[in-house]
PDB file of all heavy atoms in Angstrom:
ATOM      1  N   PHE A 179      -8.882  -8.065   1.861  1.00 87.00           N
ATOM      2  CA  PHE A 179      -9.150  -7.217   0.699  1.00 87.00           C
ATOM      3  C   PHE A 179      -8.276  -7.685  -0.457  1.00 87.00           C
ATOM      4  O   PHE A 179      -7.351  -8.477  -0.280  1.00 87.00           O
ATOM      5  CB  PHE A 179      -8.909  -5.732   1.026  1.00 87.00           C
ATOM      6  CG  PHE A 179      -7.483  -5.387   1.381  1.00 87.00           C
ATOM      7  CD1 PHE A 179      -6.600  -4.913   0.427  1.00 87.00           C
ATOM      8  CD2 PHE A 179      -7.028  -5.534   2.690  1.00 87.00           C
ATOM      9  CE1 PHE A 179      -5.290  -4.586   0.764  1.00 87.00           C
ATOM     10  CE2 PHE A 179      -5.730  -5.211   3.036  1.00 87.00           C
ATOM     11  CZ  PHE A 179      -4.857  -4.736   2.071  1.00 87.00           C
ATOM     12  N   PHE A 180      -8.596  -7.212  -1.646  1.00 91.00           N
ATOM     13  CA  PHE A 180      -7.913  -7.658  -2.851  1.00 91.00           C
ATOM     14  C   PHE A 180      -7.298  -6.481  -3.575  1.00 91.00           C
ATOM     15  O   PHE A 180      -7.863  -5.390  -3.601  1.00 91.00           O
ATOM     16  CB  PHE A 180      -8.892  -8.421  -3.756  1.00 91.00           C
ATOM     17  CG  PHE A 180      -9.452  -9.623  -3.051  1.00 91.00           C
ATOM     18  CD1 PHE A 180     -10.654  -9.547  -2.377  1.00 91.00           C
ATOM     19  CD2 PHE A 180      -8.741 -10.807  -3.010  1.00 91.00           C
ATOM     20  CE1 PHE A 180     -11.159 -10.636  -1.682  1.00 91.00           C
ATOM     21  CE2 PHE A 180      -9.225 -11.899  -2.324  1.00 91.00           C
ATOM     22  CZ  PHE A 180     -10.441 -11.816  -1.655  1.00 91.00           C
ATOM     23  N   ILE A 181      -6.117  -6.705  -4.161  1.00 93.00           N
ATOM     24  CA  ILE A 181      -5.333  -5.661  -4.801  1.00 93.00           C
ATOM     25  C   ILE A 181      -5.129  -6.016  -6.267  1.00 93.00           C
ATOM     26  O   ILE A 181      -4.580  -7.079  -6.571  1.00 93.00           O
ATOM     27  CB  ILE A 181      -3.956  -5.542  -4.125  1.00 93.00           C
ATOM     28  CG1 ILE A 181      -4.118  -5.378  -2.612  1.00 93.00           C
ATOM     29  CG2 ILE A 181      -3.143  -4.410  -4.745  1.00 93.00           C
ATOM     30  CD1 ILE A 181      -2.892  -5.807  -1.833  1.00 93.00           C
ATOM     31  N   ASP A 182      -5.583  -5.132  -7.149  1.00 94.00           N
ATOM     32  CA  ASP A 182      -5.302  -5.284  -8.577  1.00 94.00           C
ATOM     33  C   ASP A 182      -4.034  -4.476  -8.823  1.00 94.00           C
ATOM     34  O   ASP A 182      -4.078  -3.246  -8.925  1.00 94.00           O
ATOM     35  CB  ASP A 182      -6.457  -4.772  -9.421  1.00 94.00           C
ATOM     36  CG  ASP A 182      -6.224  -4.955 -10.911  1.00 94.00           C
ATOM     37  OD1 ASP A 182      -5.065  -5.203 -11.316  1.00 94.00           O
ATOM     38  OD2 ASP A 182      -7.197  -4.832 -11.669  1.00 94.00           O
ATOM     39  N   GLU A 183      -2.902  -5.151  -8.874  1.00 94.00           N
ATOM     40  CA  GLU A 183      -1.621  -4.465  -8.980  1.00 94.00           C
ATOM     41  C   GLU A 183      -1.443  -3.777 -10.326  1.00 94.00           C
ATOM     42  O   GLU A 183      -0.763  -2.763 -10.423  1.00 94.00           O
ATOM     43  CB  GLU A 183      -0.482  -5.440  -8.687  1.00 94.00           C
ATOM     44  CG  GLU A 183      -0.526  -5.906  -7.237  1.00 94.00           C
ATOM     45  CD  GLU A 183       0.468  -6.986  -6.911  1.00 94.00           C
ATOM     46  OE1 GLU A 183       1.015  -7.624  -7.836  1.00 94.00           O
ATOM     47  OE2 GLU A 183       0.700  -7.189  -5.702  1.00 94.00           O
ATOM     48  N   GLU A 184      -2.077  -4.296 -11.354  1.00 93.00           N
ATOM     49  CA  GLU A 184      -1.974  -3.687 -12.684  1.00 93.00           C
ATOM     50  C   GLU A 184      -2.737  -2.362 -12.742  1.00 93.00           C
ATOM     51  O   GLU A 184      -2.231  -1.361 -13.225  1.00 93.00           O
ATOM     52  CB  GLU A 184      -2.516  -4.664 -13.736  1.00 93.00           C
ATOM     53  CG  GLU A 184      -2.304  -4.208 -15.151  1.00 93.00           C
ATOM     54  CD  GLU A 184      -2.743  -5.282 -16.128  1.00 93.00           C
ATOM     55  OE1 GLU A 184      -2.137  -6.375 -16.108  1.00 93.00           O
ATOM     56  OE2 GLU A 184      -3.690  -5.031 -16.888  1.00 93.00           O
ATOM     57  N   ALA A 185      -3.956  -2.345 -12.226  1.00 92.00           N
ATOM     58  CA  ALA A 185      -4.792  -1.142 -12.253  1.00 92.00           C
ATOM     59  C   ALA A 185      -4.558  -0.248 -11.027  1.00 92.00           C
ATOM     60  O   ALA A 185      -5.104   0.846 -10.952  1.00 92.00           O
ATOM     61  CB  ALA A 185      -6.269  -1.533 -12.327  1.00 92.00           C
ATOM     62  N   GLU A 186      -3.771  -0.730 -10.065  1.00 92.00           N
ATOM     63  CA  GLU A 186      -3.474  -0.009  -8.830  1.00 92.00           C
ATOM     64  C   GLU A 186      -4.743   0.398  -8.086  1.00 92.00           C
ATOM     65  O   GLU A 186      -4.980   1.566  -7.783  1.00 92.00           O
ATOM     66  CB  GLU A 186      -2.599   1.210  -9.117  1.00 92.00           C
ATOM     67  CG  GLU A 186      -1.251   0.838  -9.683  1.00 92.00           C
ATOM     68  CD  GLU A 186      -0.362   2.033  -9.953  1.00 92.00           C
ATOM     69  OE1 GLU A 186      -0.818   3.180  -9.854  1.00 92.00           O
ATOM     70  OE2 GLU A 186       0.819   1.793 -10.267  1.00 92.00           O
ATOM     71  N   ARG A 187      -5.584  -0.608  -7.790  1.00 94.00           N
ATOM     72  CA  ARG A 187      -6.811  -0.363  -7.034  1.00 94.00           C
ATOM     73  C   ARG A 187      -7.063  -1.533  -6.094  1.00 94.00           C
ATOM     74  O   ARG A 187      -6.495  -2.612  -6.260  1.00 94.00           O
ATOM     75  CB  ARG A 187      -8.006  -0.159  -7.963  1.00 94.00           C
ATOM     76  CG  ARG A 187      -8.396  -1.394  -8.743  1.00 94.00           C
ATOM     77  CD  ARG A 187      -9.552  -1.107  -9.703  1.00 94.00           C
ATOM     78  NE  ARG A 187      -9.907  -2.317 -10.411  1.00 94.00           N
ATOM     79  CZ  ARG A 187     -10.920  -3.112 -10.076  1.00 94.00           C
ATOM     80  NH1 ARG A 187     -11.683  -2.818  -9.061  1.00 94.00           N
ATOM     81  NH2 ARG A 187     -11.183  -4.186 -10.773  1.00 94.00           N
ATOM     82  N   THR A 188      -7.898  -1.293  -5.103  1.00 94.00           N
ATOM     83  CA  THR A 188      -8.255  -2.340  -4.146  1.00 94.00           C
ATOM     84  C   THR A 188      -9.770  -2.484  -4.067  1.00 94.00           C
ATOM     85  O   THR A 188     -10.509  -1.580  -4.450  1.00 94.00           O
ATOM     86  CB  THR A 188      -7.714  -2.026  -2.733  1.00 94.00           C
ATOM     87  OG1 THR A 188      -8.301  -0.799  -2.279  1.00 94.00           O
ATOM     88  CG2 THR A 188      -6.206  -1.936  -2.722  1.00 94.00           C
ATOM     89  N   THR A 189     -10.207  -3.623  -3.555  1.00 92.00           N
ATOM     90  CA  THR A 189     -11.628  -3.890  -3.380  1.00 92.00           C
ATOM     91  C   THR A 189     -11.811  -4.912  -2.262  1.00 92.00           C
ATOM     92  O   THR A 189     -10.918  -5.704  -1.992  1.00 92.00           O
ATOM     93  CB  THR A 189     -12.275  -4.413  -4.686  1.00 92.00           C
ATOM     94  OG1 THR A 189     -13.671  -4.650  -4.458  1.00 92.00           O
ATOM     95  CG2 THR A 189     -11.624  -5.695  -5.177  1.00 92.00           C
ATOM     96  N   TRP A 190     -12.978  -4.859  -1.625  1.00 88.00           N
ATOM     97  CA  TRP A 190     -13.328  -5.860  -0.609  1.00 88.00           C
ATOM     98  C   TRP A 190     -13.848  -7.128  -1.280  1.00 88.00           C
ATOM     99  O   TRP A 190     -13.943  -8.176  -0.654  1.00 88.00           O
ATOM    100  CB  TRP A 190     -14.404  -5.334   0.334  1.00 88.00           C
ATOM    101  CG  TRP A 190     -13.976  -4.165   1.151  1.00 88.00           C
ATOM    102  CD1 TRP A 190     -14.459  -2.886   1.059  1.00 88.00           C
ATOM    103  CD2 TRP A 190     -12.989  -4.135   2.181  1.00 88.00           C
ATOM    104  NE1 TRP A 190     -13.817  -2.083   1.965  1.00 88.00           N
ATOM    105  CE2 TRP A 190     -12.916  -2.823   2.673  1.00 88.00           C
ATOM    106  CE3 TRP A 190     -12.149  -5.098   2.734  1.00 88.00           C
ATOM    107  CZ2 TRP A 190     -12.049  -2.446   3.693  1.00 88.00           C
ATOM    108  CZ3 TRP A 190     -11.275  -4.724   3.750  1.00 88.00           C
ATOM    109  CH2 TRP A 190     -11.231  -3.415   4.223  1.00 88.00           C
ATOM    110  N   LEU A 191     -14.222  -7.048  -2.570  1.00 89.00           N
ATOM    111  CA  LEU A 191     -14.852  -8.169  -3.269  1.00 89.00           C
ATOM    112  C   LEU A 191     -13.823  -8.987  -4.044  1.00 89.00           C
ATOM    113  O   LEU A 191     -12.960  -8.433  -4.728  1.00 89.00           O
ATOM    114  CB  LEU A 191     -15.930  -7.644  -4.213  1.00 89.00           C
ATOM    115  CG  LEU A 191     -16.992  -6.754  -3.557  1.00 89.00           C
ATOM    116  CD1 LEU A 191     -17.982  -6.266  -4.594  1.00 89.00           C
ATOM    117  CD2 LEU A 191     -17.685  -7.479  -2.425  1.00 89.00           C
ATOM    118  N   HIS A 192     -13.941 -10.308  -3.949  1.00 89.00           N
ATOM    119  CA  HIS A 192     -13.041 -11.204  -4.673  1.00 89.00           C
ATOM    120  C   HIS A 192     -13.178 -10.947  -6.171  1.00 89.00           C
ATOM    121  O   HIS A 192     -14.298 -10.880  -6.693  1.00 89.00           O
ATOM    122  CB  HIS A 192     -13.396 -12.661  -4.347  1.00 89.00           C
ATOM    123  CG  HIS A 192     -12.380 -13.634  -4.805  1.00 89.00           C
ATOM    124  ND1 HIS A 192     -12.224 -13.974  -6.125  1.00 89.00           N
ATOM    125  CD2 HIS A 192     -11.442 -14.321  -4.111  1.00 89.00           C
ATOM    126  CE1 HIS A 192     -11.254 -14.850  -6.243  1.00 89.00           C
ATOM    127  NE2 HIS A 192     -10.753 -15.081  -5.019  1.00 89.00           N
ATOM    128  N   PRO A 193     -12.072 -10.790  -6.896  1.00 90.00           N
ATOM    129  CA  PRO A 193     -12.155 -10.448  -8.322  1.00 90.00           C
ATOM    130  C   PRO A 193     -12.803 -11.515  -9.193  1.00 90.00           C
ATOM    131  O   PRO A 193     -13.373 -11.199 -10.235  1.00 90.00           O
ATOM    132  CB  PRO A 193     -10.692 -10.226  -8.715  1.00 90.00           C
ATOM    133  CG  PRO A 193      -9.896 -10.941  -7.682  1.00 90.00           C
ATOM    134  CD  PRO A 193     -10.703 -10.881  -6.427  1.00 90.00           C
ATOM    135  N   ALA A 194     -12.769 -12.763  -8.801  1.00 87.00           N
ATOM    136  CA  ALA A 194     -13.359 -13.837  -9.603  1.00 87.00           C
ATOM    137  C   ALA A 194     -14.822 -14.090  -9.237  1.00 87.00           C
ATOM    138  O   ALA A 194     -15.644 -14.346 -10.103  1.00 87.00           O
ATOM    139  CB  ALA A 194     -12.555 -15.121  -9.451  1.00 87.00           C
ATOM    140  N   THR A 195     -15.150 -13.999  -7.939  1.00 85.00           N
ATOM    141  CA  THR A 195     -16.509 -14.340  -7.506  1.00 85.00           C
ATOM    142  C   THR A 195     -17.396 -13.130  -7.280  1.00 85.00           C
ATOM    143  O   THR A 195     -18.613 -13.251  -7.261  1.00 85.00           O
ATOM    144  CB  THR A 195     -16.480 -15.141  -6.186  1.00 85.00           C
ATOM    145  OG1 THR A 195     -15.986 -14.292  -5.140  1.00 85.00           O
ATOM    146  CG2 THR A 195     -15.625 -16.384  -6.305  1.00 85.00           C
ATOM    147  N   GLY A 196     -16.797 -11.955  -7.062  1.00 86.00           N
ATOM    148  CA  GLY A 196     -17.581 -10.752  -6.772  1.00 86.00           C
ATOM    149  C   GLY A 196     -18.141 -10.743  -5.362  1.00 86.00           C
ATOM    150  O   GLY A 196     -19.003  -9.938  -5.041  1.00 86.00           O
ATOM    151  N   GLU A 197     -17.654 -11.636  -4.510  1.00 82.00           N
ATOM    152  CA  GLU A 197     -18.154 -11.722  -3.135  1.00 82.00           C
ATOM    153  C   GLU A 197     -17.061 -11.361  -2.145  1.00 82.00           C
ATOM    154  O   GLU A 197     -15.877 -11.587  -2.398  1.00 82.00           O
ATOM    155  CB  GLU A 197     -18.643 -13.137  -2.838  1.00 82.00           C
ATOM    156  CG  GLU A 197     -19.821 -13.558  -3.679  1.00 82.00           C
ATOM    157  CD  GLU A 197     -20.261 -14.980  -3.389  1.00 82.00           C
ATOM    158  OE1 GLU A 197     -19.663 -15.627  -2.510  1.00 82.00           O
ATOM    159  OE2 GLU A 197     -21.191 -15.446  -4.052  1.00 82.00           O
ATOM    160  N   ALA A 198     -17.471 -10.812  -1.009  1.00 80.00           N
ATOM    161  CA  ALA A 198     -16.524 -10.524   0.064  1.00 80.00           C
ATOM    162  C   ALA A 198     -16.119 -11.824   0.734  1.00 80.00           C
ATOM    163  O   ALA A 198     -16.903 -12.773   0.786  1.00 80.00           O
ATOM    164  CB  ALA A 198     -17.157  -9.584   1.084  1.00 80.00           C
ATOM    165  N   VAL A 199     -14.895 -11.885   1.214  1.00 77.00           N
ATOM    166  CA  VAL A 199     -14.441 -13.044   1.975  1.00 77.00           C
ATOM    167  C   VAL A 199     -14.861 -12.811   3.414  1.00 77.00           C
ATOM    168  O   VAL A 199     -14.458 -11.841   4.046  1.00 77.00           O
ATOM    169  CB  VAL A 199     -12.916 -13.226   1.869  1.00 77.00           C
ATOM    170  CG1 VAL A 199     -12.445 -14.313   2.815  1.00 77.00           C
ATOM    171  CG2 VAL A 199     -12.535 -13.554   0.448  1.00 77.00           C
ATOM    172  N   ILE A 200     -15.698 -13.684   3.908  1.00 67.00           N
ATOM    173  CA  ILE A 200     -16.200 -13.554   5.268  1.00 67.00           C
ATOM    174  C   ILE A 200     -15.308 -14.382   6.184  1.00 67.00           C
ATOM    175  O   ILE A 200     -15.236 -15.598   6.063  1.00 67.00           O
ATOM    176  CB  ILE A 200     -17.669 -14.044   5.368  1.00 67.00           C
ATOM    177  CG1 ILE A 200     -18.533 -13.338   4.328  1.00 67.00           C
ATOM    178  CG2 ILE A 200     -18.195 -13.840   6.776  1.00 67.00           C
ATOM    179  CD1 ILE A 200     -18.547 -11.836   4.405  1.00 67.00           C
ATOM    180  N   SER A 201     -14.646 -13.686   7.081  1.00 63.00           N
ATOM    181  CA  SER A 201     -13.758 -14.400   7.990  1.00 63.00           C
ATOM    182  C   SER A 201     -14.405 -14.627   9.352  1.00 63.00           C
ATOM    183  O   SER A 201     -13.764 -15.097  10.263  1.00 63.00           O
ATOM    184  CB  SER A 201     -12.423 -13.663   8.147  1.00 63.00           C
ATOM    185  OG  SER A 201     -12.634 -12.348   8.564  1.00 63.00           O
ATOM    186  N   GLY A 202     -15.685 -14.291   9.475  1.00 58.00           N
ATOM    187  CA  GLY A 202     -16.423 -14.579  10.700  1.00 58.00           C
ATOM    188  C   GLY A 202     -16.474 -13.419  11.667  1.00 58.00           C
ATOM    189  O   GLY A 202     -15.977 -12.345  11.400  1.00 58.00           O
ATOM    190  N   HIS A 203     -17.107 -13.645  12.779  1.00 52.00           N
ATOM    191  CA  HIS A 203     -17.223 -12.632  13.821  1.00 52.00           C
ATOM    192  C   HIS A 203     -15.929 -12.575  14.601  1.00 52.00           C
ATOM    193  O   HIS A 203     -15.274 -13.579  14.809  1.00 52.00           O
ATOM    194  CB  HIS A 203     -18.368 -12.966  14.768  1.00 52.00           C
ATOM    195  CG  HIS A 203     -19.677 -13.087  14.084  1.00 52.00           C
ATOM    196  ND1 HIS A 203     -20.749 -13.679  14.664  1.00 52.00           N
ATOM    197  CD2 HIS A 203     -20.103 -12.696  12.860  1.00 52.00           C
ATOM    198  CE1 HIS A 203     -21.780 -13.653  13.836  1.00 52.00           C
ATOM    199  NE2 HIS A 203     -21.400 -13.065  12.740  1.00 52.00           N
ATOM    200  N   ARG A 204     -15.610 -11.390  15.045  1.00 57.00           N
ATOM    201  CA  ARG A 204     -14.395 -11.207  15.822  1.00 57.00           C
ATOM    202  C   ARG A 204     -14.685 -10.413  17.078  1.00 57.00           C
ATOM    203  O   ARG A 204     -15.439  -9.467  17.061  1.00 57.00           O
ATOM    204  CB  ARG A 204     -13.351 -10.449  15.003  1.00 57.00           C
ATOM    205  CG  ARG A 204     -12.714 -11.294  13.954  1.00 57.00           C
ATOM    206  CD  ARG A 204     -11.736 -10.478  13.165  1.00 57.00           C
ATOM    207  NE  ARG A 204     -12.386  -9.452  12.377  1.00 57.00           N
ATOM    208  CZ  ARG A 204     -13.058  -9.680  11.263  1.00 57.00           C
ATOM    209  NH1 ARG A 204     -13.205 -10.898  10.836  1.00 57.00           N
ATOM    210  NH2 ARG A 204     -13.588  -8.701  10.591  1.00 57.00           N
ATOM    211  N   LYS A 205     -14.027 -10.799  18.140  1.00 55.00           N
ATOM    212  CA  LYS A 205     -14.022  -9.989  19.347  1.00 55.00           C
ATOM    213  C   LYS A 205     -12.794  -9.100  19.241  1.00 55.00           C
ATOM    214  O   LYS A 205     -11.697  -9.591  18.989  1.00 55.00           O
ATOM    215  CB  LYS A 205     -13.938 -10.855  20.601  1.00 55.00           C
ATOM    216  CG  LYS A 205     -15.153 -11.717  20.811  1.00 55.00           C
ATOM    217  CD  LYS A 205     -15.004 -12.548  22.060  1.00 55.00           C
ATOM    218  CE  LYS A 205     -16.225 -13.444  22.211  1.00 55.00           C
ATOM    219  NZ  LYS A 205     -16.122 -14.318  23.372  1.00 55.00           N
ATOM    220  N   THR A 206     -12.986  -7.812  19.390  1.00 64.00           N
ATOM    221  CA  THR A 206     -11.852  -6.901  19.314  1.00 64.00           C
ATOM    222  C   THR A 206     -11.742  -6.113  20.605  1.00 64.00           C
ATOM    223  O   THR A 206     -12.754  -5.844  21.260  1.00 64.00           O
ATOM    224  CB  THR A 206     -11.990  -5.939  18.119  1.00 64.00           C
ATOM    225  OG1 THR A 206     -13.186  -5.183  18.278  1.00 64.00           O
ATOM    226  CG2 THR A 206     -12.045  -6.679  16.800  1.00 64.00           C
ATOM    227  N   PRO A 207     -10.545  -5.732  20.987  1.00 67.00           N
ATOM    228  CA  PRO A 207     -10.360  -5.053  22.269  1.00 67.00           C
ATOM    229  C   PRO A 207     -11.035  -3.688  22.351  1.00 67.00           C
ATOM    230  O   PRO A 207     -11.293  -3.204  23.444  1.00 67.00           O
ATOM    231  CB  PRO A 207      -8.840  -4.927  22.386  1.00 67.00           C
ATOM    232  CG  PRO A 207      -8.298  -5.154  21.039  1.00 67.00           C
ATOM    233  CD  PRO A 207      -9.308  -5.961  20.277  1.00 67.00           C
ATOM    234  N   ASP A 208     -11.337  -3.066  21.215  1.00 78.00           N
ATOM    235  CA  ASP A 208     -11.950  -1.739  21.254  1.00 78.00           C
ATOM    236  C   ASP A 208     -13.476  -1.787  21.367  1.00 78.00           C
ATOM    237  O   ASP A 208     -14.111  -0.746  21.464  1.00 78.00           O
ATOM    238  CB  ASP A 208     -11.531  -0.915  20.035  1.00 78.00           C
ATOM    239  CG  ASP A 208     -11.887  -1.588  18.722  1.00 78.00           C
ATOM    240  OD1 ASP A 208     -11.899  -2.827  18.669  1.00 78.00           O
ATOM    241  OD2 ASP A 208     -12.128  -0.864  17.738  1.00 78.00           O
ATOM    242  N   LEU A 209     -14.080  -2.988  21.388  1.00 78.00           N
ATOM    243  CA  LEU A 209     -15.530  -3.106  21.543  1.00 78.00           C
ATOM    244  C   LEU A 209     -15.880  -3.333  23.011  1.00 78.00           C
ATOM    245  O   LEU A 209     -15.119  -3.951  23.750  1.00 78.00           O
ATOM    246  CB  LEU A 209     -16.066  -4.277  20.714  1.00 78.00           C
ATOM    247  CG  LEU A 209     -16.008  -4.119  19.197  1.00 78.00           C
ATOM    248  CD1 LEU A 209     -16.490  -5.401  18.526  1.00 78.00           C
ATOM    249  CD2 LEU A 209     -16.837  -2.942  18.750  1.00 78.00           C
ATOM    250  N   PRO A 210     -17.060  -2.869  23.430  1.00 81.00           N
ATOM    251  CA  PRO A 210     -17.486  -3.128  24.805  1.00 81.00           C
ATOM    252  C   PRO A 210     -17.648  -4.629  25.056  1.00 81.00           C
ATOM    253  O   PRO A 210     -17.874  -5.404  24.120  1.00 81.00           O
ATOM    254  CB  PRO A 210     -18.847  -2.433  24.892  1.00 81.00           C
ATOM    255  CG  PRO A 210     -18.885  -1.484  23.747  1.00 81.00           C
ATOM    256  CD  PRO A 210     -18.007  -2.067  22.683  1.00 81.00           C
ATOM    257  N   THR A 211     -17.551  -5.030  26.305  1.00 80.00           N
ATOM    258  CA  THR A 211     -17.724  -6.429  26.684  1.00 80.00           C
ATOM    259  C   THR A 211     -19.059  -6.952  26.167  1.00 80.00           C
ATOM    260  O   THR A 211     -20.077  -6.284  26.279  1.00 80.00           O
ATOM    261  CB  THR A 211     -17.677  -6.569  28.223  1.00 80.00           C
ATOM    262  OG1 THR A 211     -16.423  -6.064  28.667  1.00 80.00           O
ATOM    263  CG2 THR A 211     -17.838  -8.025  28.644  1.00 80.00           C
ATOM    264  N   GLY A 212     -19.041  -8.143  25.575  1.00 79.00           N
ATOM    265  CA  GLY A 212     -20.266  -8.759  25.075  1.00 79.00           C
ATOM    266  C   GLY A 212     -20.607  -8.425  23.635  1.00 79.00           C
ATOM    267  O   GLY A 212     -21.600  -8.898  23.108  1.00 79.00           O
ATOM    268  N   TRP A 213     -19.801  -7.634  22.972  1.00 81.00           N
ATOM    269  CA  TRP A 213     -20.058  -7.271  21.576  1.00 81.00           C
ATOM    270  C   TRP A 213     -19.021  -7.911  20.665  1.00 81.00           C
ATOM    271  O   TRP A 213     -17.859  -8.047  21.013  1.00 81.00           O
ATOM    272  CB  TRP A 213     -20.018  -5.758  21.404  1.00 81.00           C
ATOM    273  CG  TRP A 213     -21.231  -5.087  21.944  1.00 81.00           C
ATOM    274  CD1 TRP A 213     -21.413  -4.674  23.225  1.00 81.00           C
ATOM    275  CD2 TRP A 213     -22.423  -4.769  21.231  1.00 81.00           C
ATOM    276  NE1 TRP A 213     -22.659  -4.108  23.353  1.00 81.00           N
ATOM    277  CE2 TRP A 213     -23.306  -4.148  22.145  1.00 81.00           C
ATOM    278  CE3 TRP A 213     -22.847  -4.946  19.917  1.00 81.00           C
ATOM    279  CZ2 TRP A 213     -24.565  -3.711  21.787  1.00 81.00           C
ATOM    280  CZ3 TRP A 213     -24.100  -4.496  19.557  1.00 81.00           C
ATOM    281  CH2 TRP A 213     -24.943  -3.889  20.480  1.00 81.00           C
ATOM    282  N   GLU A 214     -19.461  -8.307  19.465  1.00 78.00           N
ATOM    283  CA  GLU A 214     -18.582  -8.832  18.431  1.00 78.00           C
ATOM    284  C   GLU A 214     -18.842  -8.086  17.140  1.00 78.00           C
ATOM    285  O   GLU A 214     -19.899  -7.491  16.954  1.00 78.00           O
ATOM    286  CB  GLU A 214     -18.818 -10.330  18.216  1.00 78.00           C
ATOM    287  CG  GLU A 214     -18.425 -11.186  19.392  1.00 78.00           C
ATOM    288  CD  GLU A 214     -18.609 -12.664  19.118  1.00 78.00           C
ATOM    289  OE1 GLU A 214     -18.956 -13.035  17.976  1.00 78.00           O
ATOM    290  OE2 GLU A 214     -18.390 -13.451  20.046  1.00 78.00           O
ATOM    291  N   GLU A 215     -17.884  -8.174  16.242  1.00 78.00           N
ATOM    292  CA  GLU A 215     -17.967  -7.506  14.956  1.00 78.00           C
ATOM    293  C   GLU A 215     -18.160  -8.558  13.875  1.00 78.00           C
ATOM    294  O   GLU A 215     -17.554  -9.626  13.939  1.00 78.00           O
ATOM    295  CB  GLU A 215     -16.657  -6.757  14.758  1.00 78.00           C
ATOM    296  CG  GLU A 215     -16.521  -5.988  13.501  1.00 78.00           C
ATOM    297  CD  GLU A 215     -15.177  -5.278  13.495  1.00 78.00           C
ATOM    298  OE1 GLU A 215     -14.152  -5.962  13.304  1.00 78.00           O
ATOM    299  OE2 GLU A 215     -15.168  -4.069  13.707  1.00 78.00           O
TER     300      GLU A 215
END
């Protein structure tokens, strides 16, 4: 996520591109076996 320290706000979208940074699928311990996020 991105933080505009001057305006004191956050966003999931990159401030220059307007797009979310996709870091890929993740396996997390709280998901059932065989599921990814």
